[in-house]
Amino acid sequence: PRSTDDYDYENYHTLSEINSFMDMLVQENPKLVSKLVIGQSYEGRALNVLKFSTGGTKRPGIWIDTGIHAREWITPASGTWFAKKIVTEYGHDPALTAILDKFDIFLELVTNPDGYEYTHSSNRMWRKTRRINSGSSCIGVDPNRNWGTGYGGAGSSSNPCSETYRGPGAYSEPEVKAIVDFTKSHGNLKAFLTIHSYSQMMLYPYGDTHKPCVDEAELDELALKASTALESLYGTKYTYGSTFNTIYQASGVTTDWAYDEGIKYSYTFELRDDGHYGFVLPADQIIPTAQETWLALMVIMEHTKNNPY
Amino acid sequence: KERFEGHQVLRITAKNDAEIGLLKELSKQEDLGLDFWTDPVDQSLPVDIRVPFHSLQGVRAFLGYHEIHYEIMIQDLQDLLDKEQREMMRARVLQ
């Protein structure tokens, strides 16, 4: 494709194709979009983040990441669609325009690029990073068990061969550390949305403990609004609640960390599948998935805008 | 490139805590090479497991013996992945 209008949003893409998409989007919208490189992956790939900003300094920000688990292809595919949606709708959709007039949006499309590349080249079912674990023949760390909050808890594994291996230490994964460093240096993120697939859920803190977070009532009510908006398009049913109570104890997860960093509106999404395809959601479902998810994201972003803290 | 011929994904619906416990036991049997797409947690949540071809018979026997209900969610994972690849290739050609 020579422009992001030609990009095929209805199909899955390789890492290089997604990277080219990002560069084109920046080139076409230089006043709205820029690309930040927040670090390098374990294998040395750039960790690219799209920044959508209408100007101003020290604006509050909204973080969205997709593709932290490599095999969840629907998430970067949806993220790519979100990116195009933002540039298309800014100035046309009053709600999005109002959000971007106050907030910057940061979108990391391929949070685990080594893993994503590996799913294309070698093993479509790969989930983790590609770290070599000393003393083990098993490769990789689960980047959603590597965050400092609750790190090492029962909802993660110390076994490098496990799919939920927490890694040798908190933030050992450069893919995680880069986001931590970026978030801390930014210092003013107000929402943190991390997108997974595939069990149709919206999860808020905590995952490591059954104890409710201080803002549980508000987060629960907002999840209801967001999931209602999502369902309104194609009838996709979502459940929501704290990670611990809704699925299982998960320790060292993104959402807990972000919340404990002071980012109140902290959610994990689990995008659709209704029991037919799992991680192999057919490409013709990319756009419907992205469209319905966008409605939920908008509800959370608008709420964040309207409820400063 | 790793292939997944004959791998099936089973969707298991546990009807009580005892069955959840049995599925947790199953997940500890590393020699089976099972990939839990969703974990055994609660009866309200289905458990999806990618089962390699070499373990299918054993896993089905285990489920049958304990009368744990399951359905085949993906008959042959490689078929689905081949289709996915074909679609990607076709899209590139069209482009």
Side-chain angles (χ1 to χ4, degrees):
Chain A
R2 299 193 175 194
S3 78
T4 60
D5 290 332
D6 299 332
Y7 189 85
D8 183 5
Y9 298 91
E10 294 180 65
N11 267 294
Y12 293 115
H13 292 273
T14 61
L15 181 63
S16 69
E17 287 168 345
I18 294 173
N19 284 337
S20 299
F21 165 84
M22 284 192 265
D23 290 337
M24 283 189 295
L25 196 74
V26 171
Q27 223 168 25
E28 293 165 9
N29 304 277
K31 289 183 180 166
L32 180 60
V33 194
S34 55
K35 187 179 86 175
L36 313 176
V37 180
I38 62 167
Q40 280 196 338
S41 68
Y42 180 79
E43 291 180 339
R45 294 184 174 86
L47 299 171
N48 296 314
V49 174
L50 290 173
K51 177 182 179 182
F52 300 86
S53 177
T54 58
T57 52
K58 300 236 171 209
R59 279 195 173 174
I62 293 167
W63 173 271
I64 304 170
D65 65 76
T66 55
I68 196 167
H69 282 150
R71 64 189 175 183
E72 297 169 7
W73 280 13
I74 184 63
T75 72
S78 297
T80 307
W81 187 91
F82 301 154
K84 181 65 175 172
K85 181 78 173 171
I86 293 170
V87 300
T88 310
E89 296 292 305
Y90 178 70
H92 299 283
D93 173 6
L96 178 67
T97 305
I99 291 166
L100 276 167
D101 285 343
K102 274 192 171 178
F103 285 77
D104 295 338
I105 298 175
F106 298 93
L107 177 57
E108 186 171 11
L109 287 180
V110 189
T111 306
N112 174 9
D114 297 348
Y116 188 73
E117 184 67 26
Y118 196 70
T119 60
H120 281 269
S121 64
S122 300
N123 181 346
R124 174 67 180 85
M125 289 295 112
W126 193 258
R127 162 188 166 99
K128 300 190 283 184
T129 65
R130 290 296 299 162
R131 161 183 295 278
I132 294 167
N133 295 306
S134 65
S136 171
S137 59
C138 294
I139 303 274
V141 168
D142 182 348
N144 199 31
R145 296 293 185 281
N146 190 241
W147 303 72
T149 298
Y151 176 82
S156 65
S157 173
S158 59
N159 176 3
C161 298
S162 164
E163 293 288 6
T164 55
Y165 176 49
R166 62 177 77 108
Y171 317 118
S172 62
E173 300 315 283
E175 296 84 356
V176 171
K177 184 68 163 48
I179 300 174
V180 169
D181 291 345
F182 172 78
T183 303
K184 285 177 184 286
S185 70
H186 184 282
N188 201 19
L189 294 182
K190 297 296 182 187
F192 200 105
L193 310 170
T194 184
I195 300 188
H196 292 247
S197 72
Y198 64 83
S199 42
Q200 301 182 186
M201 290 174 181
M202 224 170 276
L203 306 169
Y204 51 75
Y206 284 106
D208 182 53
T209 171
H210 69 278
K211 289 177 189 161
C213 68
V214 173
D215 300 294
E216 176 158 299
E218 185 182 355
L219 294 179
D220 196 75
E221 193 182 334
L222 181 55
L224 168 62
K225 280 184 192 158
S227 58
T228 303
L230 187 153
E231 188 185 335
S232 69
L233 196 57
Y234 297 112
T236 306
K237 300 273 185 201
Y238 262 52
T239 52
Y240 56 88
S242 78
T243 307
F244 190 103
N245 290 327
T246 309
I247 40 173
Y248 45 61
Q249 183 180 16
S251 306
V253 298
T254 319
T255 303
D256 285 6
W257 175 83
Y259 183 79
D260 277 6
E261 269 307 292
I263 305 171
K264 177 160 67 167
Y265 301 114
S266 177
Y267 288 94
T268 294
F269 278 64
E270 292 276 353
L271 303 189
R272 62 155 85 171
D273 176 48
D274 54 3
H276 289 97
Y277 305 103
F279 299 117
V280 198
L281 196 67
D284 62 10
Q285 291 197 40
I286 293 171
I287 291 179
T289 305
Q291 286 172 327
E292 67 187 12
T293 308
W294 178 250
L295 297 181
L297 295 179
M298 280 295 292
V299 168
I300 295 172
M301 292 194 292
E302 273 197 283
H303 184 91
T304 304
K305 173 179 72 74
N306 295 334
N307 293 272
Y309 65 93
Chain B
K1 196 164 194 172
E2 192 161 336
R3 296 184 63 81
F4 299 88
E5 264 114 7
H7 289 221
Q8 291 190 344
V9 180
L10 306 182
R11 169 155 283 205
I12 299 167
T13 321
K15 61 177 180 291
N16 53 42
D17 287 346
E19 290 190 355
I20 291 287
L22 286 166
L23 293 172
K24 282 182 177 166
E25 268 181 39
L26 190 67
S27 72
K28 288 175 189 155
Q29 295 186 34
E30 289 180 5
D31 54 313
L32 293 173
L34 304 181
D35 175 11
F36 277 72
W37 283 12
T38 58
D39 291 303
V41 183
D42 185 88
Q43 308 158 42
S44 62
L45 298 172
V47 180
D48 298 341
I49 313 176
R50 173 170 63 83
V51 185
F53 180 70
H54 68 81
S55 299
L56 263 178
Q57 205 174 359
V59 170
R60 282 181 171 172
F62 177 89
L63 297 173
Y65 178 77
H66 294 289
E67 298 182 344
I68 299 174
H69 178 76
Y70 71 93
E71 286 167 10
I72 299 172
M73 178 169 146
I74 297 175
Q75 184 73 36
D76 186 327
L77 183 59
Q78 191 58 48
D79 282 350
L80 211 52
L81 298 183
D82 288 343
K83 191 176 171 199
E84 190 179 68
Q85 280 299 307
R86 280 198 300 275
E87 281 180 8
M88 284 178 75
M89 292 299 289
R90 191 182 305 128
R92 285 204 190 99
V93 170
L94 284 174
Q95 192 95 47

